[in-house]
Amino acid sequence: MGAGRVGPTLGLALQRAGHSVVAVTRSRSEERNDRVAALLPNARVTDADQVVAASDLVIVAVPDDQIAPVVDGLAKLEVWRANQIVVHPCGAHGVAALSGASAAGAIPIALHPAMTFTGTSLDVDRLVNCPVAVTAPAVGIAIGQALVMEMGATPYVVEEEDRAVYHAALAHGANYLVTIVSQAVTALSKAGIDEPAEYIQPLLNAALERALSEGAVGLTGPVVRGDMGTISAHVDALRNAGLASVARTYMDMAEATAQEANEVGLIDDATAEAIHAELLYRR
């Protein structure tokens, strides 16, 4: 159910594993309908209640805030049934969002791949060995894990009460990484660097590898050196270059970095406090 980027991709992955995709919800977007036709040419495109009626496994791949309303709306039509498997791929929600289906005896499962999707068949290959968070009642855990492994991915059980923190961690690490890198590329361009993305890529790759292997202990740069003159100069330079939003992000990250560095013993309390005071003044 759902003709966006994720639903058809998961459907194709399961189809390649031997499942039959019988139906997909009709979209008001012709682009999305074309995507379904390209990925799942044998699937019937129909209304949501007909998709549910025709399926033993239903993937509710709709925007996060629409999952519960869609499932509850279909519950009013009495289309959910006992032992039907109902899955959603949202990271932020657990199975509570599927309560409208589970009340009818369906087995609710939340499966969230830690991956971005393009809406093409290439996504299926990217699912191989991809970590997938599985949240389900006891009866559904083994089913969820089996579905993940059938797609070639790797299941990790995440408890219902931990889903929000889990998803916040992914958003913090991935979405905001894009923001920081984009701002860094913009600043390099302002500094006259041709092909700024290519210029910074080796440094970013090395920093990411070190962050994943060493954590905060791998920090380098002016914060770890306690070099407040450099930090202040950076802020001034960014502002003078017309990059006020980058300067704000820089200060936020400098303060967070000082806290991390202090916690792992790279800088002492006095240095961390001095950096905090300097940044507070410069705001």
Side-chain angles (χ1 to χ4, degrees):
M1 182 186 306
R5 296 179 179 179
V6 180
T9 296
L10 297 181
L12 180 58
L14 289 171
Q15 181 172 273
R16 290 183 178 179
H19 294 266
S20 297
V21 180
V22 296
V24 179
T25 304
R26 180 183 292 108
S27 173
R28 287 176 290 185
S29 165
E30 286 306 313
E31 179 185 352
R32 293 188 174 191
N33 289 330
D34 290 343
R35 178 185 298 131
V36 171
L39 294 179
L40 303 166
N42 297 322
R44 180 162 53 99
V45 179
T46 185
D47 295 331
D49 59 332
Q50 296 300 311
V51 173
V52 173
S55 307
D56 296 320
L57 164 62
V58 179
I59 300 175
V60 185
V62 298
D64 297 1
D65 292 342
Q66 294 181 22
I67 295 172
V70 166
V71 172
D72 293 346
L74 289 166
K76 293 178 181 178
L77 300 177
E78 299 182 349
V79 293
W80 301 114
R81 59 183 182 272
N83 298 318
Q84 189 175 36
I85 301 169
V86 185
V87 173
H88 77 66
C90 165
H93 296 304
V95 295
L98 301 173
S99 59
S102 57
I107 300 171
I109 304 173
L111 299 181
H112 179 254
M115 181 58 62
T116 59
F117 288 82
T118 63
T120 69
S121 59
L122 295 175
D123 293 334
V124 177
D125 296 331
R126 296 174 72 188
L127 283 173
V128 175
N129 297 323
C130 172
V132 178
V134 179
T135 301
V139 68
I141 287 292
I143 296 172
Q145 291 173 318
L147 289 171
V148 171
M149 289 187 287
E150 283 182 332
M151 292 186 286
T154 305
Y156 289 82
V157 175
V158 176
E159 298 299 329
E160 179 83 7
E161 61 271 19
D162 294 328
R163 288 290 288 209
V165 172
Y166 155 80
H167 193 244
L170 295 184
H172 191 65
N175 300 157
Y176 303 154
L177 175 63
V178 174
T179 301
I180 291 172
V181 171
S182 177
Q183 290 186 341
V185 168
T186 298
L188 281 174
S189 181
K190 281 279 190 179
I193 298 295
D194 293 330
E195 304 296 338
E198 182 178 323
Y199 186 94
I200 201 174
Q201 184 174 0
L203 176 62
L204 293 179
N205 288 341
L208 179 58
E209 288 179 9
R210 192 165 187 182
L212 292 174
S213 63
E214 300 179 41
V217 175
L219 280 168
T220 61
V223 168
V224 174
R225 295 193 297 269
D227 193 344
M228 285 169 283
T230 298
I231 294 170
S232 296
H234 286 172
V235 174
D236 287 340
L238 290 169
R239 285 174 171 165
N240 291 336
L243 300 173
S245 63
V246 180
R248 288 193 296 271
T249 305
Y250 180 98
M251 287 189 288
D252 289 341
M253 294 308 301
E255 186 148 10
T257 300
Q259 182 176 336
E260 289 280 316
N262 180 233
E263 289 176 356
V264 298
L266 293 178
I267 60 175
D268 57 24
D269 291 347
T271 301
E273 181 56 36
I275 292 173
H276 169 74
E278 175 65 17
L279 291 170
L280 186 63
Y281 169 75
R282 301 196 68 78
R283 291 181 188 277

